[in-house]
Amino acid sequence: MGYFHSDVTKLFKYLSLNGYPSGVLNKILGNFLSERMSKKINCKSSNFSNLLINYRDYLKKNFPHLIGYIINGELIFKTNTNKILNFLTFLKNHTNSQYKILSDICAVDFPQKKNRFEVVYNLLSLTYNSRITILVPVDEATPINSCVDIYSAAG
């Protein structure tokens, strides 16, 4: 860990001494950390793919209404408006999930679809260094319950 920490410290010192603005520093640091982490976990390896498939199947067994995908090494699930709060609570609190951070919540408009909106929840598990995306299709008239009691960042 000390070697990695000294690399990051040296990088920051070099960049700040050479007048890079903080936004550029954050972007470079993010790329640096991503590069370091990708060497630890190869998302294209068959072992990693098998882990994702097994976890997807495990979640689908506990929540049969889910539709699950694996795209670019990340899990994506589609669920109903009446099931979202139970699913988010499970993902946050279950030992095998630990998705403690709601990094983003947004909506996408598909005017040609019957349920024209998709509410998108992007969650992060620091424990397992993984991300998961939850999609909830809704129409204009259907309300969706707030998850602010589960994730305060939603407020």
Side-chain angles (χ1 to χ4, degrees):
M1 186 67 174
Y3 176 74
F4 177 72
H5 178 69
S6 68
D7 283 352
V8 173
T9 305
K10 285 178 190 173
L11 179 66
F12 255 106
K13 268 187 190 174
Y14 171 78
L15 293 173
S16 60
L17 289 174
N18 288 298
Y20 282 89
S22 62
V24 173
L25 286 175
N26 290 335
K27 183 172 176 135
I28 291 171
L29 179 64
N31 292 340
F32 177 75
L33 292 174
S34 296
E35 198 174 302
R36 292 293 294 241
M37 293 309 290
S38 67
K39 291 178 184 173
K40 292 182 181 179
I41 300 173
N42 182 359
C43 295
K44 294 181 181 177
S45 73
S46 61
N47 289 341
F48 185 74
S49 296
N50 288 339
L51 283 172
L52 284 177
I53 291 167
N54 290 340
Y55 187 63
R56 179 196 62 192
D57 294 344
Y58 171 76
L59 288 175
K60 286 173 82 171
K61 188 189 307 181
N62 288 304
F63 296 91
H65 66 279
L66 289 177
I67 300 170
Y69 309 95
I70 299 172
I71 300 173
N72 294 328
E74 290 190 12
L75 287 168
I76 299 172
F77 286 98
K78 195 175 272 197
T79 187
N80 305 328
T81 56
N82 56 349
K83 308 281 187 185
I84 186 63
L85 294 182
N86 289 338
F87 189 47
L88 290 174
T89 302
F90 178 89
L91 290 173
K92 181 176 182 182
N93 297 324
H94 193 275
T95 306
N96 294 333
S97 300
Q98 299 294 306
Y99 289 96
K100 301 283 186 188
I101 299 172
L102 173 68
S103 59
D104 186 36
I105 183 170
C106 62
V108 182
D109 186 3
F110 298 101
Q112 70 278 13
K113 289 185 176 181
K114 177 184 163 207
N115 290 328
R116 79 179 266 182
F117 298 105
E118 276 188 358
V119 179
V120 181
Y121 300 85
N122 292 305
L123 307 177
L124 173 65
S125 171
L126 293 177
T127 305
Y128 297 109
N129 189 26
S130 74
R131 297 181 181 278
I132 191 168
T133 300
I134 316 301
L135 307 173
V136 183
V138 293
D139 60 18
E140 296 94 352
T142 306
I144 192 165
N145 291 327
S146 172
C147 67
V148 76
D149 290 337
I150 303 164
Y151 293 104
S152 60

